[in-house]
Amino acid sequence: MLSRRNKLLLFKLLSLFSVVRGYNILVITLAQYLASIFILSPQTSLREVVLDLNLFLIVTASGLVIASGYIINNFYDAEKDLINKPRKSMLDRLVSQRFKLTTYFILNFLAVLAASYISFRAVLFFSSYIFGIWLYSHKLKRVPFLGNLVSASLAIAPFFVVFVYYGNFETVIFVHALFLFLLILAREMIKDLENMAGDMAQNYKTIPILYGPKVSKIIIGFLIVLTLAPALLLIKSFDVGYMHLYFIACIVLLGLFIVLLWGARGKKHYVWLHNILKFIIVAGVISILLIDVDLVINRIL
């Protein structure tokens, strides 16, 4: 049996994991490695990619900055989250605000330190990334639509730094990136609908608060329709192996999403819509393996 002190320590660790969204960081780390292996450097051996110290430091620095970003976002949104996410907020509050800020600075320091082993340009990139996340959390997230754009841009930044590292600027990479960006942007706008109660209480000027849920739904629907364009391009114009099955499934799911979006009336519905987009994004990470099934089999065996 765990002692009371050990139980409290365990709950605090769970609280910190919840604040930094450890599960999201694991998915992003996996996505960076899978993209490196199967999209950005398919001719490089698996051993070379996995044992590449610079890539490991890039992925590590990305994870540290993202974790610190979740902390600073949680710090500024503490009051709002009490309304929008009361259960999660109670767990998050097991760790003091002072400890969160201390952890935030430590993680950022470690990220820049890791980047310094790569190059001065990497230090500049991750320093700018840290500043961008802070600026978004402190100011920009309160600006309608601009906050959503910045949030989506920050979300794909870890993938940008990896394909810059490999110097792979093929058109197919940008089409993949556009697909992901539009999905994330739509998800950010769904979150605004989901969090309207807390946003109104804290005087956030989001699109559904300023112009109403109907206008927000129209914009989200338009973004989903735009997302179909890169999905169709990736099916018809590029060789993505069996991953074309994923994009076909996405088109079906996104069609269902639009139908459900128009009928959505409350937070419960918006949470479901949010989860559909999250599922599509996470499934996309795993589906990278479908680009070259023979390569996957050969590298496993």
Side-chain angles (χ1 to χ4, degrees):
M1 295 289 291
L2 290 173
S3 67
R4 186 176 179 180
R5 183 177 179 181
N6 287 337
K7 283 183 179 179
L8 183 60
L9 178 61
L10 177 61
F11 278 122
K12 284 187 175 182
L13 288 173
L14 287 173
S15 174
L16 188 60
F17 187 81
S18 172
V19 170
V20 303
R21 314 245 183 118
Y23 42 87
N24 282 357
I25 295 171
L26 290 174
V27 170
I28 292 168
T29 298
L30 178 63
Q32 284 177 299
Y33 267 109
L34 289 179
S36 299
I37 295 167
F38 296 103
I39 299 177
L40 301 171
S41 62
Q43 305 307 317
T44 307
S45 71
L46 177 63
R47 180 184 176 85
E48 284 183 75
V49 175
V50 172
L51 297 181
D52 185 339
L53 178 60
N54 283 345
L55 177 61
F56 172 76
L57 291 172
I58 287 171
V59 172
T60 300
S62 299
L64 291 169
V65 174
I66 293 166
S68 73
Y70 281 129
I71 289 173
I72 200 66
N73 198 50
N74 178 274
F75 178 82
Y76 284 117
D77 283 352
E79 299 303 320
K80 186 180 81 167
D81 288 344
L82 274 174
I83 301 170
N84 291 328
K85 305 169 185 176
R87 291 183 181 178
K88 183 179 182 300
S89 184
M90 292 306 293
L91 177 62
D92 293 351
R93 283 181 172 239
L94 288 174
V95 177
S96 70
Q97 296 289 70
R98 181 178 178 180
F99 182 80
K100 288 175 188 175
L101 281 180
T102 302
T103 306
Y104 167 76
F105 287 113
I106 291 173
L107 291 177
N108 284 335
F109 172 76
L110 291 175
V112 174
L113 183 65
S116 69
Y117 282 89
I118 304 168
S119 68
F120 180 67
R121 286 191 303 172
V123 171
L124 288 178
F125 171 82
F126 283 105
S127 297
S128 300
Y129 192 24
I130 291 166
F131 176 74
I133 291 174
W134 171 81
L135 186 62
Y136 162 76
S137 300
H138 183 54
K139 290 286 186 185
L140 298 181
K141 73 184 307 177
R142 295 175 180 267
V143 182
F145 198 65
L146 176 62
N148 303 113
L149 279 173
V150 172
S151 179
S153 301
L154 291 170
I156 66 168
F159 303 100
F160 172 80
V161 69
V162 172
F163 75 67
V164 167
Y165 172 64
Y166 281 105
N168 189 334
F169 299 102
E170 293 182 21
T171 305
V172 66
I173 305 297
F174 289 97
V175 179
H176 271 284
L178 178 61
F179 175 79
L180 179 60
F181 176 79
L182 290 170
L183 274 181
I184 293 173
L185 183 55
R187 192 191 70 164
E188 289 299 317
M189 296 198 65
I190 281 288
K191 284 164 64 178
D192 285 345
L193 285 167
E194 187 182 333
N195 297 328
M196 280 183 67
D199 288 344
M200 288 178 71
Q202 295 300 310
N203 201 31
Y204 278 48
K205 305 298 184 184
T206 60
I207 289 174
I209 289 173
L210 288 176
Y211 306 108
K214 186 175 180 179
V215 171
S216 192
K217 287 181 183 181
I218 291 171
I219 297 172
I220 293 167
F222 178 67
L223 289 171
I224 295 299
V225 171
L226 286 180
T227 305
L228 299 178
L232 289 169
L233 270 175
L234 287 164
I235 293 169
K236 293 180 172 294
S237 303
F238 298 99
D239 180 14
V240 292
Y242 288 104
M243 197 178 180
H244 75 276
L245 297 173
Y246 162 77
F247 289 111
I248 291 171
C250 280
I251 291 171
V252 174
L253 269 177
L254 292 174
L256 175 63
F257 177 92
I258 290 175
V259 173
L260 294 175
L261 173 68
W262 207 246
R265 289 294 179 268
K267 181 171 181 175
K268 184 178 178 180
H269 297 150
Y270 298 135
V271 169
W272 271 102
L273 291 168
H274 182 183
N275 287 335
I276 289 172
L277 293 183
K278 185 183 287 188
F279 171 77
I280 291 172
I281 292 168
V282 174
V285 172
I286 307 301
S287 297
I288 292 173
L289 294 167
L290 298 175
I291 291 176
D292 194 334
V293 175
D294 292 334
L295 182 63
V296 173
I297 294 171
N298 291 334
R299 287 184 167 182
I300 290 175
L301 298 178

